[in-house]
Amino acid sequence: MRALLMTEPGDARQSQVADVDVPRPGAGEVAIDVAYSGLNFMDVMARRGDPGYAKSWPYRPGLEIAGTVREVGANVVGLAVGDRVAAVPDGGGLAEVAIARAGLTVPVPAEVSLRTAAAVPLGLATAMLLLSEAGRFAPGDSVLVHSASGGIGSALAQLVPLLGGGRLIGTVGRPEKVEVALKSGYDVAIARDEMDADAIRAANEGRGVDVILDPLGTSALALDLDVAATGARIVLFGNASGGALDALPPAGRLIGGNITVTGFSHRGLVAGAPQRVARAIRGTLDLLAGGRLDFPVTELADLTEVPPAHDLLAEGRGAGKYVVRVTG
Ligand SMILES: NC(=O)c1ccc[n+]([C@@H]2O[C@H](COP(=O)([O-])OP(=O)(O)OC[C@H]3O[C@@H](n4cnc5c(N)ncnc54)[C@H](OP(=O)(O)O)[C@@H]3O)[C@@H](O)[C@H]2O)c1
């Protein structure tokens, strides 16, 4: 079968589509014929060799898929060959066949295309968990999202209004991405070189922000604290630059401001509380099936188009969410 392989840490030159053996499911696992696979910045972090992302080299990337069950391992109940599913594989999802734990494999309702479903297990599910769990989002809350024009940012642009959010403000790394964020649904988008507390407060009609979703390591944390409303939740969920992380802020600001600073990791939940990830996948698939949620994606036609698309993400030039057609 065809699979994307990253031979060693590097860039697109170390990524190639290779012919590899078809994997078989172990106990508690299923093998899935992959119709579509989602692209994610975490595969870029693995590719560039950030510690903890690729377990070994050569590395087989791909962390979210949709397709049909091909083979069921021992002790799996509730899933059968031919079922349409979305799943979180433990890597190896950018391939014609991938293995996932049954507990992280969720049936896809008939109303949802496998193309859209491929953006759910990591992309939409992360956006949902950031809001509902880590961010303790409540209707009416204003939300600030850094890296607003990317995959997670565009998922949040769909979910926040659906869940009854107030002002939705995004920041982006390049001026040309302001338009992308606005088109996807942000009320205001600010380029990073113009991003300061005054601009963000002005964007929120003079008020502090209730929920701040920040994948920029700790580089924007001082600003986040500056614009946080009383009772705000700041969720740190990434470290796009891969740089060193600063210490957490002085407790006095947190106590005095009733501010929560919390972390979020999809990977951490997959390891320690997979049922919460599965629930978020199910919940977002149901919203899509009911027609309440739409999630536009850009489709790549073949696995060979993934390395240049990873380049776009690595250079901060991506726009929205990408999925690749594998066998669909
Ligand atoms: N914790 C979790 O479980 C989890 C799950 C999924 C994603 N994430 C994080 O969420 C962020 C978005 O992920 P995504 O998959 O949707 O990717 P993406 O947004 O499509 O692409 C990554 C974005 O990161 C931003 N960025 C900031 N500093 C960068 C740097 N030094 N190099 C490259 N890009 C940089 C760029 O946007 P701007 O320049 O506009 O900021 C870039 O477009 C990533 O940081 C990712 O690691 C975390």
Side-chain angles (χ1 to χ4, degrees):
M1 68 160 192
R2 296 169 78 233
L4 190 71
L5 212 63
M6 295 175 171
T7 53
E8 58 184 339
D11 53 30
R13 288 166 299 183
Q14 283 79 36
S15 290
Q16 63 198 52
V17 177
D19 193 22
V20 301
D21 291 342
V22 174
R24 304 280 312 275
E29 296 177 338
V30 293
I32 296 165
D33 283 318
V34 179
Y36 289 86
S37 184
L39 271 63
N40 286 284
F41 196 71
M42 278 200 260
D43 285 329
V44 173
M45 297 174 90
R47 187 177 85 160
R48 70 188 183 193
D50 286 12
Y53 286 89
K55 271 190 257 160
S56 58
W57 299 92
Y59 176 64
R60 299 249 298 267
L63 296 165
E64 60 179 344
I65 57 174
T68 50
V69 174
R70 171 192 179 90
E71 188 178 354
V72 176
N75 309 327
V76 171
V77 286
L79 290 167
V81 172
D83 284 356
R84 297 168 84 244
V85 292
V88 182
D90 184 15
L94 286 158
E96 289 178 342
V97 180
I99 303 295
R101 280 145 65 187
L104 287 161
T105 302
V106 175
V108 175
E111 300 83 351
V112 181
S113 71
L114 292 177
R115 178 179 185 268
T116 302
V120 170
L122 207 167
L124 268 176
T126 291
M128 181 58 102
L129 288 163
L130 283 171
L131 290 169
S132 62
E133 291 201 3
R136 291 186 280 115
F137 170 87
D141 278 349
S142 53
V143 180
L144 169 65
V145 177
H146 296 301
S147 297
S149 68
I152 299 295
S154 60
L156 287 162
Q158 301 301 315
L159 284 174
V160 168
L162 178 68
L163 301 177
R167 298 283 286 176
L168 177 59
I169 301 150
T171 76
V172 294
R174 293 164 178 257
E176 63 268 26
K177 295 205 287 191
V178 165
E179 201 52 39
V180 179
L182 291 175
K183 266 201 186 130
S184 75
Y186 283 81
D187 293 311
V188 180
I190 303 168
R192 196 126 64 232
D193 53 9
E194 288 166 12
M195 150 179 122
D196 61 23
D198 289 343
I200 291 169
R201 268 197 221 96
N204 200 30
E205 296 167 334
R207 292 190 292 271
V209 182
D210 300 304
V211 178
I212 300 174
L213 305 176
D214 183 348
L216 299 175
T218 47
S219 63
L221 184 54
L223 174 70
D224 296 342
L225 286 164
D226 211 352
V227 301
T230 300
R233 286 79 69 199
I234 299 171
V235 186
L236 304 178
F237 72 102
N239 185 20
S241 74
L245 296 172
D246 294 336
L248 284 177
R253 173 74 181 109
L254 305 185
I255 296 168
N258 289 271
I259 293 169
T260 303
V261 177
T262 188
F264 175 82
S265 164
H266 181 278
R267 208 161 50 123
L269 285 183
V270 160
Q275 70 285 359
R276 283 160 61 186
V277 176
R279 195 166 57 222
I281 297 171
R282 213 168 281 121
T284 43
L285 283 170
D286 284 349
L287 289 172
L288 289 163
R292 297 182 59 211
L293 175 64
D294 184 28
F295 189 31
V297 297
T298 298
E299 178 178 333
L300 309 177
D302 185 73
L303 285 173
T304 52
E305 294 184 18
V306 173
H310 278 158
D311 281 347
L312 284 183
L313 299 190
E315 293 158 14
R317 291 188 291 115
K321 178 72 181 178
Y322 297 85
V323 300
V324 59
R325 185 172 181 272
V326 182
T327 62

